[in-house]
């Protein structure tokens, strides 16, 4: 826990006084790590979750850079959803209470354009907004960034999940190259590193997550008879109930058989193997990545390049011959500071493979037992999300912001109910939390996306 105080930072007296009047005295770990670099004007890439105090970190940073006599946009925060943008805007206003002159404006879709134009004409210091609406204002030249000093990408991983990479790139193209760029993300995936390389200059990396250790993955082994292997797998899935799990098989045929058996037994499951056409493979990966399918049964070849964050479990239906492949398989869980689970089934004939794994990892494996399990046709448990298919994509100029706007308009659903958005050439997919599916369908069917009506339905494949 950080013991540093805000008074130790080089802040303007009025800003410091206001921070302390809000009850902020001690810096949270992410503030202690990032604020000194932010105040020095360095670019920062910070790994921090909601609730870590990150908004105050970049909020204090950007407020300390403002020239209050110039009513031009000097700081901009880009957020994935309207709710987050509203929250960030309120927090910056609270931090800025020390002077009446600071103007903070929130620019989001789902609300009328006119009043936003009026506010921009009167002059604004800080803009907080969602990618789609910021794009619109920039294209109409109602928002100008020629005086921008600080750009913040908040919850950048969520923005990439929601398909906003093109929109973010477009928004940043309007900003001066000589600026400070702060990137905040809950995870440190390759796409996040790529965004950083594209838009930041010699960034300082700040992370309050523990680094990845083998101890982040709990490994358990189960000896079973060959004929009871599928029952044992069903038992483990029912017992641990992972929101996302990959089950590895050694052959395409086993992969298909295992997926069919699990589906017949009421699990939300899809198969991923080399015989799938690219179109079907895309659909399978969309549903698994957006958590509207809980179990993916895959071969090693088909799973290459599979990078799903928050994967809760990896299950070896069969152990691979090579212990290096075993380590590679289980390394897909337990990422970004999350605890992972690796469960392995093996028959008596495969015990030599277990011995090879023990030698390779230089630690003995932990054995556990499975209880007898009765396969049935009852649905086991529903995944948290449902995928909606939209009959319009890139060729129709449909962007993620258009879909999000149509879903979260005045009578729509909350942005927090919307998951990943994937845009393909001729269609798009959006993940919606189970409880909001009917309302989301009604929004998209009764409303318009890009001023047009598109066919929308629940995804039927898999």
């Amino acid at each position: 826990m950080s013991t540093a105080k805000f008074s130790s930072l080089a802040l303007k007296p009025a800003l410091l006084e206001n921070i302390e009047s809000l009850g902020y005295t001690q810096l949270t770990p992410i503030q202690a790590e990032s604020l000194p670099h932010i105040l020095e004007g360095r670019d920062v890439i910070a790994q921090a979750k909601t609730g870590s105090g990150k908004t105050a970190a970049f909020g204090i940073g950007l407020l300390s850079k403002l020239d209050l006599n110039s009513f031009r946009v000097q700081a901009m925060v880009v957020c994935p959803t309207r709710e987050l943008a509203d929250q960030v805007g309120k927090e910056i206003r609270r931090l800025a209470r020390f002077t009446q002159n600071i103007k903070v404006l929130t620019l989001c879709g789902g609300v009328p354009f006119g009043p936003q134009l009026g506010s921009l004409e009167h002059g604004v210091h800080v803009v907080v907004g969602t990618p789609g609406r910021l794009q619109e204002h920039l294209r109409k030249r109602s928002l100008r960034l020629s005086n921008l000093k600080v750009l913040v990408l908040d919850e950048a991983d969520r923005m990439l999940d929601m398909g906003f990479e093109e929109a973010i790139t477009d928004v940043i193209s309007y900003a001066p190259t000589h600026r400070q760029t702060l990137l905040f993300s809950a995870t440190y995936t390759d796409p996040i590193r790529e965004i950083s390389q594209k838009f930041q200059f010699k960034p300082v990396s700040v992370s309050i997550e523990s680094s990845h250790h083998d101890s982040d993955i709990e490994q358990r082994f189960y000896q079973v008879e060959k004929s009871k292997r599928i029952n044992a797998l069903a038992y483990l899935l029912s017992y641990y109930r992972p929101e996302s799990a990959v089950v590895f098989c050694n052959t395409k045929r086993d992969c298909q058989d295992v997926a069919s058996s699990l589906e017949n037994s009421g699990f939300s499951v899809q198969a991923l193997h080399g015989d799938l056409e690219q179109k079907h493979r895309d659909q399978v990966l969309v549903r698994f990545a957006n958590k509207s399918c809980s179990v993916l049964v895959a071969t090693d070849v088909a799973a290459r390049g599979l990078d799903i964050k928050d994967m809760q479990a990896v299950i070896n239906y069969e152990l691979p011959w090579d212990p290096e492949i075993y380590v590679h398989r289980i390394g897909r869980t337990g990422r970004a500071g999350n605890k992972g689970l690796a469960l392995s089934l093996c028959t008596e004939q495969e015990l030599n493979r277990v011995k090879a794994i023990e030698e390779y990892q230089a630690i003995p494996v932990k054995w556990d037992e499975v209880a007898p399990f009765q396969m049935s046709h009852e649905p086991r448990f529903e995944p948290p999300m449902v995928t909606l298919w939209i009959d319009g994509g890139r060729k129709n100029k449909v962007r993620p912001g258009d879909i999000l706007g149509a879903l979260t308009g005045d009578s729509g659903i909350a942005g927090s109910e919307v998951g990943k958005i994937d845009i393909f050439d001729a269609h798009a997919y959006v993940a919606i939390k189970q409880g909001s599916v009917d309302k989301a369908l009604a929004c998209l069917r009764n409303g318009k996306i890009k001023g047009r009506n598109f066919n929308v339905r629940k995804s039927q494949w898999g």
Side-chain angles (χ1 to χ4, degrees), residues 312-334:
Q312 292 169 355
V314 167
I315 303 177
N316 291 296
Y317 181 74
E318 299 160 286
L319 286 170
W321 287 99
D322 185 342
E324 204 172 324
I325 292 175
Y326 167 83
V327 170
H328 185 66
R329 281 181 182 181
I330 71 167
R332 288 182 168 88
T333 182

Side-chain angles (χ1 to χ4, degrees), residues 290-293 382-387 416-420 431-434 437:
N290 72 19
K291 296 203 170 165
S292 60
C293 161
E382 286 188 325
M385 311 296 276
V386 171
T387 299
S416 55
E417 297 294 290
V418 183
K420 250 173 139 305
I432 306 289
K433 284 191 182 165
Q434 286 275 5
V437 174

Side-chain angles (χ1 to χ4, degrees), residues 406-434:
L407 285 164
T408 59
D410 290 338
S411 57
I413 63 174
S416 55
E417 297 294 290
V418 183
K420 250 173 139 305
I421 298 173
D422 292 276
I423 310 272
F424 291 84
D425 282 346
H427 53 270
Y429 302 106
V430 55
I432 306 289
K433 284 191 182 165
Q434 286 275 5

